[in-house]
Amino acid sequence: MNIAVITSGGDSPGMNPCLAQVVKNAAKKGHTVYGYRRGFVGIRDKDSVKLEPGDVQGWYKQGGTVLRTGRLPELKEEYWQKKLVDNLRENAIDALIVIGGDGSFKGALSLHKADSSLNVIGIPGTIDNNIYGIANNSSLININMTISHSCFNNRNNTVFNNSFNKTC
């Protein structure tokens, strides 16, 4: 499986460790991960890099996000939703992992609605405390590892079922 991962919106604590854990867990399962720089902007611009476990060593020590973040207001338009899905499909991407907050999750959901066969997983990465249903702090690092573990080990798990209605 080819997996795209982005960090979107504002930087938040835990983005780099989460990225590293996604790459490591995916590699253990034989999946390939592509990191898109600057969030949805990177998908639009086809700006990606293949990530392997050796590439992410030490990322947990770095603040912010190595992939950088970006905002793409145009994603509200159906044209851009379809264009981004087409760009992902052009690169044979089977799943998109979005690390971000409420706005990032809305963008991810719009891509899933544009093509329901695109698997989408949302991992909270926000300082805004705007991911409802997750304790009082939506930038929890431990939940990232739990979601990664669940998704890569059990293909029938539902991740953020209320938001995305999709299984891993």
Side-chain angles (χ1 to χ4, degrees):
M1 177 185 303
N2 290 326
I3 301 168
V5 63
I6 66 170
T7 51
S8 179
D11 290 9
S12 72
M15 284 185 160
N16 283 328
C18 183
L19 286 167
Q21 199 63 39
V22 165
V23 171
K24 291 175 185 178
N25 284 340
K28 285 180 188 175
K29 297 294 181 182
H31 304 303
T32 304
V33 177
Y34 296 90
Y36 282 80
R37 296 177 186 97
R38 300 179 331 276
F40 293 108
V41 175
I43 298 173
R44 181 196 65 194
D45 297 345
K46 302 179 186 178
D47 184 9
S48 68
V49 60
K50 184 177 178 181
L51 296 172
E52 303 201 18
D55 300 326
V56 300
Q57 294 299 324
W59 280 16
Y60 69 92
K61 297 177 188 176
Q62 299 180 38
T65 166
V66 173
L67 291 179
R68 302 187 343 222
T69 63
R71 298 180 193 276
L72 188 63
E74 305 93 91
L75 194 53
K76 293 177 182 174
E77 300 170 25
E78 189 174 325
Y79 168 83
W80 286 108
Q81 295 164 11
K82 290 180 180 180
K83 179 68 173 161
L84 268 62
V85 169
D86 289 345
N87 288 353
L88 291 170
R89 292 300 186 201
E90 186 178 303
N91 290 321
I93 298 297
D94 302 298
L96 171 63
I97 297 176
V98 177
I99 304 168
D102 182 61
S104 302
F105 286 8
K106 287 177 182 173
L109 181 59
S110 73
L111 296 186
H112 174 71
K113 286 181 177 178
D115 180 351
S116 63
S117 69
L118 178 66
N119 295 300
V120 178
I121 299 167
I123 300 177
T126 177
I127 61 170
D128 297 331
N129 197 28
N130 61 359
I131 305 297
Y132 302 100
I134 300 181
N136 291 324
N137 182 354
S138 55
S139 61
L140 298 172
I141 296 171
N142 289 338
I143 200 165
N144 297 332
M145 291 172 51
T146 302
I147 290 170
S148 294
H149 177 77
S150 296
C151 188
F152 293 119
N153 289 317
N154 302 304
R155 291 192 49 85
N156 293 324
N157 277 359
T158 301
V159 180
F160 291 107
N161 186 36
N162 291 338
S163 298
F164 297 107
N165 294 320
K166 197 67 180 167
T167 58
C168 295

